[in-house]
């Protein structure tokens, strides 16, 4: 079974920085893409950033120029470097992966982490 585990969330002051990490483990055959979503109370989960196996990236307009997604393929880990944080960035951030498991590599499945809280406040 594949599992995604996030770390790096916490409290930071406006203008500060924070780095999230997400590591996939378990019966992994290959990773198609990994990324980050966030969800505020009463709102839909929205894409923050993602990176594909080929290295292409996608960002929400609200975070372009401030957030950077990267990966370490050898560690099955993605990172989200968040700079110039704003109070409106406060959310629960969820790691997401499109992953082929070793059990059956016929097609990829969607996996979600448990979420990590990011709070931007003075």
């Amino acid at each position: 079974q594949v599992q995604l585990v996030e770390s790096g969330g916490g409290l930071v002051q406006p203008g500060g920085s924070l780095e999230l990490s997400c590591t996939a483990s378990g019966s992994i055959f290959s990773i198609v893409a990994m990324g980050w979503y966030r969800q505020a109370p009463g709102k839909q989960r929205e894409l923050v950033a993602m990176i594909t196996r080929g290295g292409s990236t996608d960002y929400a307009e609200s975070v372009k120029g401030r957030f950077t997604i990267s990966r370490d393929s050898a560690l099955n880990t993605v990172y989200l470097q968040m700079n110039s944080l704003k109070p409106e960035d406060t959310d629960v951030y969820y790691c997401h992966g499109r992953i082929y498991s070793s059990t059956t590599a016929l097609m990829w499945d969607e996996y979600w982490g448990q979420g990590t809280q990011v709070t931007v406040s003075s």
Side-chain angles (χ1 to χ4, degrees), residues 90-110:
T90 296
D91 271 313
V92 177
Y93 286 70
Y94 296 88
C95 183
H96 170 261
R98 292 176 183 170
I99 299 170
Y100 287 95
S101 72
S102 297
T103 304
T104 173
L106 296 177
M107 63 184 300
W108 48 260
D109 288 323
E110 305 281 348

Side-chain angles (χ1 to χ4, degrees), residues 20 36-38 46-50 57-69 80-86 88-91 93 118:
L20 307 182
W36 294 90
Y37 289 71
R38 64 187 182 187
E46 65 176 359
L47 174 70
V48 178
M50 68 176 294
T57 58
D58 192 21
Y59 295 92
E61 286 294 327
S62 60
V63 307
K64 285 183 178 178
R66 300 189 297 120
F67 291 9
T68 302
I69 189 168
L80 185 66
Q81 179 64 49
M82 303 183 290
N83 298 324
S84 301
L85 283 162
K86 305 174 181 179
E88 50 262 44
D89 294 318
T90 296
D91 271 313
Y93 286 70
V118 172

Side-chain angles (χ1 to χ4, degrees), residues 19-35:
E19 185 179 67
L20 307 182
S21 65
C22 174
T23 298
S25 62
S27 302
I28 298 171
F29 180 75
S30 66
I31 298 174
V32 177
M34 292 183 69

Side-chain angles (χ1 to χ4, degrees), residues 6 65 75 110 114:
E6 306 109 327
L75 299 178
E110 305 281 348
Q114 292 297 307

